[in-house]
Amino acid sequence: MNKDKLFDSQAKIFFEYLKTNEATCTMAAVATGIPQKNCTRYKRYYEDLNLLWEIKRRPCKHTGFLASYLSANPEKQPK
């Protein structure tokens, strides 16, 4: 699989996961099996398209550190 197809498929999986879940990049990485650094890249990509939003800041369930929880659900988009 070439790099562009891998980006497309991982990015789509990441985005679809965040349509139905609120999660940090680390939480999404653990749930989807996508490397965390790639999730961070996809986060920026979808934020630039205004399709993904930070909805709250809380400690991450995996790291315990303060992190941004993300959502791609339009109903959760900040006003």
Side-chain angles (χ1 to χ4, degrees), residues 1-68:
M1 180 177 287
N2 72 31
K3 196 162 54 169
D4 291 335
K5 285 186 182 180
L6 181 62
F7 177 92
D8 289 344
S9 64
Q10 285 186 346
K12 184 174 181 176
I13 291 166
F14 175 75
F15 184 70
E16 292 298 320
Y17 177 77
L18 289 173
K19 281 184 176 179
T20 57
N21 298 279
E22 296 176 4
T24 65
C25 279
T26 301
M27 291 166 57
V30 169
T32 62
I34 297 169
Q36 196 272 342
K37 66 181 180 178
N38 291 8
C39 289
T40 301
R41 187 176 306 119
Y42 306 143
K43 170 188 178 279
R44 186 173 304 120
Y45 173 77
Y46 285 113
E47 283 178 329
D48 288 347
L49 295 174
N50 200 32
L51 295 173
L52 179 69
W53 310 277
E54 291 183 6
I55 55 170
K56 60 185 173 185
R57 290 189 52 83
R58 301 273 190 284
C60 175
K61 292 178 182 176
H62 288 281
T63 66
F65 291 102
L66 187 64
S68 297

